[in-house]
Short mmCIF file of all heavy atoms in Angstrom, two decimals:
data_model
loop_
_atom_site.label_atom_id
_atom_site.label_comp_id
_atom_site.label_asym_id
_atom_site.label_seq_id
_atom_site.Cartn_x
_atom_site.Cartn_y
_atom_site.Cartn_z
N LEU A 208 -25.21 58.40 -14.79
CA LEU A 208 -25.24 58.89 -13.42
C LEU A 208 -23.86 59.06 -12.83
O LEU A 208 -22.91 58.30 -13.19
CB LEU A 208 -26.07 57.91 -12.54
CG LEU A 208 -27.48 57.71 -12.98
CD1 LEU A 208 -28.19 56.69 -12.02
CD2 LEU A 208 -28.28 58.98 -13.03
N CYS A 209 -23.73 59.96 -11.93
CA CYS A 209 -22.44 60.20 -11.22
C CYS A 209 -22.05 58.96 -10.49
O CYS A 209 -22.84 58.39 -9.70
CB CYS A 209 -22.59 61.36 -10.26
SG CYS A 209 -21.20 61.57 -9.14
N PRO A 210 -20.82 58.49 -10.69
CA PRO A 210 -20.44 57.22 -9.97
C PRO A 210 -20.25 57.43 -8.48
O PRO A 210 -20.18 56.47 -7.72
CB PRO A 210 -19.08 56.89 -10.65
CG PRO A 210 -18.59 58.17 -11.27
CD PRO A 210 -19.79 58.98 -11.58
N GLU A 211 -20.19 58.72 -8.01
CA GLU A 211 -20.00 58.95 -6.60
C GLU A 211 -21.34 59.15 -5.87
O GLU A 211 -21.59 58.55 -4.83
CB GLU A 211 -19.20 60.25 -6.40
CG GLU A 211 -17.78 60.26 -7.00
CD GLU A 211 -16.83 59.30 -6.34
OE1 GLU A 211 -17.07 58.97 -5.14
OE2 GLU A 211 -15.86 58.86 -6.98
N CYS A 212 -22.24 60.00 -6.43
CA CYS A 212 -23.48 60.32 -5.69
C CYS A 212 -24.74 59.89 -6.42
O CYS A 212 -25.86 60.15 -5.92
CB CYS A 212 -23.50 61.77 -5.32
SG CYS A 212 -23.86 62.82 -6.69
N HIS A 213 -24.54 59.37 -7.66
CA HIS A 213 -25.70 58.86 -8.45
C HIS A 213 -26.67 59.96 -8.91
O HIS A 213 -27.82 59.66 -9.25
CB HIS A 213 -26.43 57.74 -7.70
CG HIS A 213 -25.49 56.61 -7.34
ND1 HIS A 213 -25.36 56.19 -6.03
CD2 HIS A 213 -24.60 55.93 -8.05
CE1 HIS A 213 -24.42 55.26 -6.00
NE2 HIS A 213 -23.92 55.06 -7.19
N SER A 214 -26.28 61.20 -8.91
CA SER A 214 -27.07 62.26 -9.52
C SER A 214 -26.79 62.22 -11.03
O SER A 214 -25.76 61.68 -11.46
CB SER A 214 -26.66 63.65 -9.00
OG SER A 214 -26.64 63.63 -7.66
N PRO A 215 -27.71 62.77 -11.84
CA PRO A 215 -27.46 62.79 -13.29
C PRO A 215 -26.16 63.56 -13.62
O PRO A 215 -25.90 64.60 -13.04
CB PRO A 215 -28.68 63.50 -13.89
CG PRO A 215 -29.71 63.38 -12.85
CD PRO A 215 -29.02 63.37 -11.48
N LEU A 216 -25.35 62.97 -14.51
CA LEU A 216 -24.10 63.59 -14.92
C LEU A 216 -24.36 64.65 -15.97
O LEU A 216 -25.26 64.52 -16.79
CB LEU A 216 -23.15 62.57 -15.51
CG LEU A 216 -22.20 61.77 -14.63
CD1 LEU A 216 -21.40 60.81 -15.45
CD2 LEU A 216 -21.29 62.70 -13.81
N ARG A 230 -19.21 66.14 -15.71
CA ARG A 230 -19.02 66.51 -14.33
C ARG A 230 -20.37 66.35 -13.61
O ARG A 230 -21.45 66.34 -14.22
CB ARG A 230 -18.46 67.95 -14.19
CG ARG A 230 -19.38 69.01 -14.62
CD ARG A 230 -18.60 70.32 -14.86
NE ARG A 230 -19.16 71.04 -15.95
CZ ARG A 230 -20.28 71.72 -15.96
NH1 ARG A 230 -20.97 71.81 -14.81
NH2 ARG A 230 -20.70 72.32 -17.00
N CYS A 231 -20.26 66.30 -12.28
CA CYS A 231 -21.53 66.22 -11.47
C CYS A 231 -21.67 67.49 -10.72
O CYS A 231 -20.74 67.95 -9.99
CB CYS A 231 -21.36 65.07 -10.46
SG CYS A 231 -22.68 65.02 -9.23
N GLU A 232 -22.78 68.20 -10.93
CA GLU A 232 -23.02 69.46 -10.32
C GLU A 232 -23.30 69.35 -8.79
O GLU A 232 -23.13 70.30 -8.07
CB GLU A 232 -24.11 70.22 -11.03
CG GLU A 232 -23.62 70.77 -12.37
CD GLU A 232 -24.61 71.38 -13.29
OE1 GLU A 232 -25.84 71.08 -13.06
OE2 GLU A 232 -24.21 72.12 -14.20
N LYS A 233 -23.71 68.16 -8.40
CA LYS A 233 -24.05 68.01 -7.00
C LYS A 233 -22.84 67.76 -6.10
O LYS A 233 -22.66 68.41 -5.09
CB LYS A 233 -25.05 66.85 -6.84
CG LYS A 233 -25.71 66.82 -5.46
CD LYS A 233 -26.88 65.87 -5.47
CE LYS A 233 -27.43 65.79 -4.05
NZ LYS A 233 -28.05 64.48 -3.86
N CYS A 234 -21.92 66.83 -6.52
CA CYS A 234 -20.80 66.47 -5.65
C CYS A 234 -19.44 66.93 -6.14
O CYS A 234 -18.46 66.80 -5.46
CB CYS A 234 -20.82 64.95 -5.36
SG CYS A 234 -20.11 63.99 -6.69
N GLY A 235 -19.39 67.44 -7.35
CA GLY A 235 -18.12 67.96 -7.86
C GLY A 235 -17.27 66.96 -8.61
O GLY A 235 -16.19 67.28 -9.08
N PHE A 236 -17.77 65.76 -8.72
CA PHE A 236 -17.01 64.74 -9.53
C PHE A 236 -16.87 65.24 -10.96
O PHE A 236 -17.74 65.89 -11.54
CB PHE A 236 -17.82 63.39 -9.50
CG PHE A 236 -17.35 62.43 -10.62
CD1 PHE A 236 -16.26 61.61 -10.39
CD2 PHE A 236 -17.98 62.42 -11.88
CE1 PHE A 236 -15.82 60.80 -11.40
CE2 PHE A 236 -17.54 61.55 -12.87
CZ PHE A 236 -16.42 60.74 -12.64
ZN1 LIG B 1 -21.93 63.34 -7.92
#
Side-chain angles (χ1 to χ4, degrees):
L208 300 180
C209 171
E211 301 291 338
C212 74
H213 307 122
S214 307
L216 273 179
R230 67 196 143 78
C231 170
E232 284 172 343
K233 194 166 174 211
C234 78
F236 164 83

